[in-house]
Amino acid sequence: MKAGSESVSGSRDRYLSRDAAVLLGDFRGLAADLMWVKVYREWSQRDVQAMRGTLDLTVKLDPMTAVFWLNGARMLAYDVTAWRLNELETEDGASFSRVKQEQLSEALGFLNRGRQSLPEAWELDVEAAIMRMNLTQDWAGALAILESLELREGVPYYIGRIRAEILLKLDRKAEALTWLRKFESTLPDDDPAARKEVLRSRIAELEHRQ
């Protein structure tokens, strides 16, 4: 009787623990959504310091939602950069470059934190590569990131095409052509998203230039 009572009690406690965990998860998700609304309000007011703090709280509440990491990083990389550039008293190239590099570093640091919670989220890596290209024209850095995605599942086909164009930017034409031929051979014939005809056209164009 006593043993049976303990078993029922233990089972009940386990179910209560599960329910509490679900409720806590729901609460944290709701709280993160509310914090994101606050982020947007602070973004619209260009209150950078407040926005940074609320972004940090948002991803601490819900580190598993990729869109928080992605959009937060974009705000830091593009919007804060634009605001800071508009406030510069001098328009010399060195100041522009410094601001862009600082904001790129902050945005990449934010994305790196996201990878700790979402190591399989290739979108964070792609975003980091795009930021390197857009903010500092760091083609080599972007290429290194995209090359690391070659064997990752779920990465869209267009990443392979971007990789080839970066190689061309770096004046590595032979390597770009070799990569496109290899990449084209791996793509399915029955998936329109693969856009094999686009790749074949680009390959033919590069071959004609040789």
Side-chain angles (χ1 to χ4, degrees), residues 35-205:
M35 286 298 101
W36 186 255
V37 173
K38 188 169 183 288
V39 168
Y40 182 77
R41 183 169 67 249
E42 291 159 351
W43 169 84
S44 66
Q45 295 168 346
R46 299 191 178 187
D47 189 341
V48 177
Q49 289 305 113
M51 187 184 79
R52 283 177 174 137
T54 311
L55 267 177
D56 187 62
L57 181 55
T58 301
V59 294
K60 283 179 178 176
L61 285 167
D62 183 3
M64 305 306 291
T65 297
V67 71
F68 291 154
W69 296 107
L70 289 168
N71 285 340
R74 289 166 184 154
M75 289 175 177
L76 296 170
Y78 302 121
D79 298 312
V80 177
T81 296
W83 301 338
R84 289 185 62 190
L85 291 178
N86 285 336
E87 292 171 359
L88 284 177
E89 295 181 358
T90 59
E91 297 187 359
D92 61 286
S95 297
F96 271 57
S97 296
R98 174 180 54 80
V99 168
K100 289 181 178 181
Q101 186 59 60
E102 287 174 358
Q103 288 312 126
L104 174 63
S105 296
E106 184 178 11
L108 293 179
F110 191 74
L111 288 173
N112 282 335
R113 287 175 56 197
R115 286 192 197 92
Q116 294 174 19
S117 298
L118 299 166
E120 299 304 317
W122 55 264
E123 298 94 336
L124 302 182
D125 296 289
V126 171
E127 193 64 41
I130 292 171
M131 286 176 180
R132 285 185 178 276
M133 290 187 285
N134 287 340
L135 283 177
T136 58
Q137 288 72 57
D138 180 9
W139 306 107
L143 178 63
I145 293 173
L146 298 186
E147 286 177 339
S148 73
L149 296 176
E150 184 175 350
L151 301 178
R152 294 273 290 278
E153 280 198 37
V155 177
Y157 300 127
Y158 71 83
I159 297 303
R161 297 194 293 273
I162 292 176
R163 179 173 166 181
E165 296 307 314
I166 294 176
L167 285 168
L168 291 171
K169 280 277 188 184
L170 293 169
D171 202 28
R172 292 157 60 176
K173 296 175 184 152
E175 193 175 341
L177 183 54
T178 298
W179 162 250
L180 281 175
R181 287 168 175 158
K182 174 188 172 185
F183 182 53
E184 190 273 338
S185 70
T186 66
L187 295 177
D189 293 317
D190 57 351
D191 188 348
R195 301 187 67 185
K196 290 190 77 169
E197 72 285 355
V198 173
L199 254 70
R200 287 168 181 156
S201 175
R202 189 63 166 140
I203 289 169
E205 179 185 350

